[in-house]
């Protein structure tokens, strides 16, 4: 039951999070903005349009959107979001989750390279460069949290934090949180790493790989990208602030409370992203490795502190 709830939750909360971010942007700019549910309307419009397949497209180009969506939904199913320790709880391993994220990035990069276009190749190159810096940081940041738990299972990390609330937001956790926030921004292609609303070829990263997609396939990619953002926000919410997570054997009331708390945490984090994006601008692509290297250093310091504290 937990798996189905989590799948349904992220299928809905992903587009809502993006809609909320756009709504906050519009309000801060003095505009009314589109409704929060506008992403669902766009998916419906794209689904009704014809799928135009470029000449020379292979199976990689055709199936990449569904691989991206499949990896995202798999993380949603196995992660400790609404409740802990369900049927796939043993699969909620740090390396499994990071591997699934990287698999989605690799697949989309291959799809960008598949047609041999200059923009697709440029976007794929930038995507892989960012991913090669993001994934190690993500591994180390979460691994720092796994030292007190003695396991790389995200499910066990959440249970350990719940059993010892006094351990939350220690210096090591704060450093890991700082690194994780930068990782989320880079993985979700938000400012200052990338601007998801731009179509300026010289600055595009994620959008450059999608220029040849249309119709239902483009809808699948956009929906999967929205889900990935919500997944990353959910990981921040439950790994660093795990209060409110239910057990898989809990009653209906506890599940309702857990879902409500998770909705509040994810939407609050989405609002904070929107507020932060109004105060910053996109940095040059040549400065992106410097920013991501800084987040790697934060994650490394976090794991060193966690190690020395555990040895005491």
């Amino acid at each position: 039951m937990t798996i189905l709830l989590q799948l349904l939750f992220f299928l809905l909360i992903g587009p809502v999070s993006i809609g909320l971010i756009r709504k906050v942007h519009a309000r801060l700019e003095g505009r009314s903005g589109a409704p929060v549910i506008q992403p669902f309307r766009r998916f419906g419009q794209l689904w009704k349009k014809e799928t135009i397949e470029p000449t020379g497209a292979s199976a990689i180009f055709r199936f990449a959107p569904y691989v991206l969506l499949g990896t995202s939904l798999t993380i949603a199913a196995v992660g400790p979001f609404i409740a802990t320790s369900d049927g796939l709880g043993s699969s909620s391993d740090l390396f499994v989750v990071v591997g699934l994220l990287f698999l989605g990035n690799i697949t989309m990069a291959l799809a960008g390279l598949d047609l041999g276009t200059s923009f697709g190749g440029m976007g794929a190159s930038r995507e892989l460069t960012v991913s090669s810096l993001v994934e190690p940081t993500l591994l180390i940041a979460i691994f720092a949290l796994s030292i007190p738990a003695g396991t790389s299972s995200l499910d066990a990390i959440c249970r350990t934090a719940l059993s010892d609330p006094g351990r939350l937001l220690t210096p090591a956790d704060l450093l890991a949180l700082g690194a994780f926030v930068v990782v989320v921004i880079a993985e979700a292609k938000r400012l200052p790493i990338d601007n998801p609303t731009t179509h300026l070829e010289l600055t595009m990263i994620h959008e450059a790989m999608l220029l040849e997609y249309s119709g239902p396939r483009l809808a699948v990619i956009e929906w999967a990208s929205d889900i990935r953002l919500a997944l990353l926000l959910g990981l921040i919410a439950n790994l660093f602030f795990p209060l409110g997570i239910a057990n898989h054997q809990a009653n209906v009331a506890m599940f309702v409370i857990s879902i409500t708390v998770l909705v509040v945490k994810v939407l609050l984090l989405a609002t904070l992203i929107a507020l932060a994006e109004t105060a910053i601008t996109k940095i040059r692509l040549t400065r992106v490795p410097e920013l991501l290297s800084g987040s790697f250093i934060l994650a490394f310091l976090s794991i060193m502190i966690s190690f020395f504290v555990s040895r005491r």
Side-chain angles (χ1 to χ4, degrees):
M1 177 180 177
T2 303
I3 295 173
L4 295 177
L5 283 176
Q6 291 187 169
L7 289 175
L8 180 60
F9 175 84
F10 282 103
L11 283 170
L12 296 177
I13 201 66
V16 170
S17 299
I18 293 296
L20 179 63
I21 291 175
R22 294 171 181 170
K23 186 71 171 182
V24 173
H25 281 168
R27 288 295 188 181
L28 293 175
E29 294 171 358
R31 300 181 288 109
S32 60
V36 174
I37 62 171
Q38 180 62 30
F40 291 105
R41 296 178 179 177
R42 172 166 170 78
F43 298 154
Q45 293 170 352
L46 289 175
W47 205 265
K48 296 176 183 178
K49 292 184 177 181
E50 179 185 1
T51 298
I52 301 176
E53 186 170 296
T55 303
S58 69
I60 295 176
F61 180 86
R62 300 186 189 100
F63 291 105
Y66 308 106
V67 173
L68 182 66
L69 180 62
T71 55
S72 302
L73 292 179
T74 303
I75 297 173
V78 304
F81 296 106
I82 293 176
T84 60
S85 299
D86 203 356
L88 294 178
S90 59
S91 300
S92 64
D93 187 85
L94 163 63
F95 298 97
V96 172
V97 170
V98 174
L100 288 170
L101 287 172
F102 195 52
L103 175 61
N105 293 338
I106 289 273
T107 304
M108 289 308 303
L110 290 175
L113 292 169
D114 186 54
L115 299 177
T117 61
S118 57
F119 290 147
M122 179 183 64
S125 175
R126 293 173 177 176
E127 174 77 10
L128 293 178
T129 299
V130 172
S131 295
S132 65
L133 297 172
V134 164
E135 309 305 336
T137 303
L138 183 60
L139 279 171
I140 295 177
I142 302 180
F143 193 73
L145 302 178
S146 71
I147 291 178
T151 176
S152 60
S153 170
L154 301 183
D155 188 83
I157 293 173
C158 290
R159 290 200 305 270
T160 301
L162 284 171
S163 63
D164 185 15
R167 193 192 64 81
L168 297 177
L169 297 183
T170 61
D173 288 355
L174 290 175
L175 289 173
L177 177 59
F180 204 98
V181 168
V182 177
V183 164
V184 169
I185 292 172
E187 185 69 32
K189 308 303 182 293
R190 308 297 307 184
L191 289 171
I193 305 297
D194 189 17
N195 186 354
T197 63
T198 186
H199 285 83
L200 180 62
E201 292 84 356
L202 295 177
T203 61
M204 288 191 298
I205 299 179
H206 181 68
E207 293 294 324
M209 299 183 295
L210 312 183
L211 294 178
E212 302 297 333
Y213 280 101
S214 62
R217 290 175 184 168
L218 182 57
V220 170
I221 292 175
E222 292 189 359
W223 203 334
S225 299
D226 295 350
I227 292 173
R228 284 165 73 92
L229 173 61
L231 286 170
L232 293 169
L233 296 180
L235 287 176
I236 290 180
N238 284 359
L239 291 178
F240 295 95
F241 311 99
L243 301 179
I245 304 177
N247 187 279
H248 72 284
Q249 297 179 342
N251 54 32
V252 176
M254 287 301 300
F255 273 103
V256 172
I257 293 173
S258 178
I259 293 172
T260 303
V261 171
L262 185 58
V263 168
V264 171
K265 289 191 289 187
V266 170
L267 295 184
L268 178 60
L269 290 172
T271 303
L272 292 177
I273 288 179
L275 294 175
E277 287 183 339
T278 60
I280 57 179
T281 59
K282 187 181 182 304
I283 61 177
R284 295 181 179 180
L285 286 171
T286 55
R287 302 295 299 275
V288 170
E290 297 178 12
L291 178 61
L292 297 179
S293 298
S295 67
F296 179 84
I297 293 173
L298 290 178
F300 184 78
L301 291 175
S302 172
I303 198 172
M304 293 298 293
I305 293 175
S306 295
F307 177 76
F308 284 119
V309 169
S310 66
R311 298 281 291 181
R312 293 178 57 182

